[in-house]
């Protein structure tokens, strides 16, 4: 079977909003992109500002149930504390993962009075059988995230396998691939996507690049997400001989830096109300009751 790049089917920019105690951020998945388009990814928030008024109050105590979170810090410092006695300081280049499971209450508070605060938070769904699992929390230091460096590219391997190297995030239920890719001007990047069933996307946060098969590449610029075709949403015809099994990228004149994520969809009902993500409305009502009853 020949190797064919997936096409980019949709490009979008996130929606500016506020969350927590007035933190300014851009909601990418859960905003301009619906979570149903990228199952099992529920949310992607991007936050970037050097104005303390945009982030200083942070995210005081709030609950979660039924999902896992992954936070990736580019610049700044954020302190996590929760009611399970976990505490962690998220610094540049670090990753923080949390299993909300049956219920956890946590806070995320900036540990700086000024300067740049820049990073991303993803929510990933849990299968119905795992939604009431025990909560847990884990920090991954920047030094534990492997990098592959060449003359024209740098790839940080956060989850999944690239170039035979496995990333340190191995505890998430949906087993995603998560790469942070930086290309110099006009450099090329290609990586296999293991299963055409996987929901896959790129999020560009520096520069511009062209994504997809040669002759049908789509330009994606800073602060834009590009959704890739998959088994459920593609442009294949009955005459196509090959199933797309990779992503091809060509950097623009000023280079490009992007996140690449991919995971197998759960294909389960999703009912979400704020920080609670369950399968039925009744389970959401139970989550509110348990939280208000002090059972988290």
């Amino acid at each position: 079977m020949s190797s064919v790049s997936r096409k980019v089917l949709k490009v979008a920019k996130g929606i500016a909003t506020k969350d927590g105690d007035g933190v300014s951020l851009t909601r990418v998945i859960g905003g301009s992109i619906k979570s149903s388009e990228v199952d099992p990814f529920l949310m992607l928030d991007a936050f970037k500002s050097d104005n303390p008024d945009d982030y200083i109050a942070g995210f005081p105590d709030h609950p979660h149930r039924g999902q896992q979170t992954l936070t990736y810090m580019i610049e700044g410092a954020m302190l996590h504390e929760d009611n399970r006695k976990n505490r962690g300081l998220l610094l540049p280049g670090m990753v923080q993962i949390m299993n909300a499971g049956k219920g956890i209450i946590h806070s995320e508070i900036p540990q700086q009075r000024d300067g740049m605060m820049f990073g991303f938070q993803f929510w990933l769904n849990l299968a119905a059988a795992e939604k009431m699992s025990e909560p847990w929390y884990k920090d991954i230091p920047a030094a534990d995230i492997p990098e592959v460096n060449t003359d024209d590219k740098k790839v940080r391997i956060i989850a999944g396998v690239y170039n035979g190297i496995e990333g340190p995030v191995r505890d998430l239920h949906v087993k995603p691939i998560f790469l942070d890719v930086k290309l110099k001007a006009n450099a090329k990047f290609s990586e296999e996507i293991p299963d055409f069933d996987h929901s896959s996307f790129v999020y560009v946060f520096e520069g511009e690049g062209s994504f997809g098969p040669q002759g049908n590449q789509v330009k994606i610029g800073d602060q834009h997400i590009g959704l890739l075709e998959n088994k459920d949403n593609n442009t294949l015809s009955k005459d196509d001989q090959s199933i797309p099994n990779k992503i091809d990228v060509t950097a623009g004149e000023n280079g490009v830096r992007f996140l690449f994520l991919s995971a197998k969809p759960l294909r389960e009902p999703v009912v979400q109300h704020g920080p609670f993500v369950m399968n039925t409305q009744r389970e959401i009502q139970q989550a509110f009751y348990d939280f208000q009853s002090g059972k988290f």
Side-chain angles (χ1 to χ4, degrees), residues 62-82:
H62 60 282
H64 288 277
R65 174 179 278 185
Q67 79 274 63
Q68 296 179 320
T69 67
L70 183 153
T71 308
Y72 181 35
M73 188 67 84
I74 305 299
E75 295 183 55
M78 187 87 76
L79 178 66
H80 164 101
E81 293 182 298
D82 64 48

Side-chain angles (χ1 to χ4, degrees), residues 15 37 39 62 75 79 94 98 108 146 149 171 179 188 196-197 203-204 211 215 222 225 230 238 244-245 255 278 286:
I15 297 171
E37 298 178 86
D39 178 18
H62 60 282
E75 295 183 55
L79 178 66
M94 288 182 63
M98 184 181 77
E108 299 154 296
N149 291 281
D171 307 302
L179 306 177
K188 296 183 181 297
F196 195 49
D197 197 29
Y203 183 76
V204 175
F211 296 77
D222 187 22
I225 187 173
N230 63 14
K238 62 181 181 180
N245 60 355
M278 304 302 289
Q286 186 66 47

Side-chain angles (χ1 to χ4, degrees), residues 99-117:
N99 183 60
K102 66 182 183 181
I104 196 168
I105 301 170
H106 79 139
S107 63
E108 299 154 296
I109 304 298
Q111 299 300 291
Q112 60 196 62
R113 306 309 301 178
D114 53 30
M116 179 65 74
M117 179 69 70

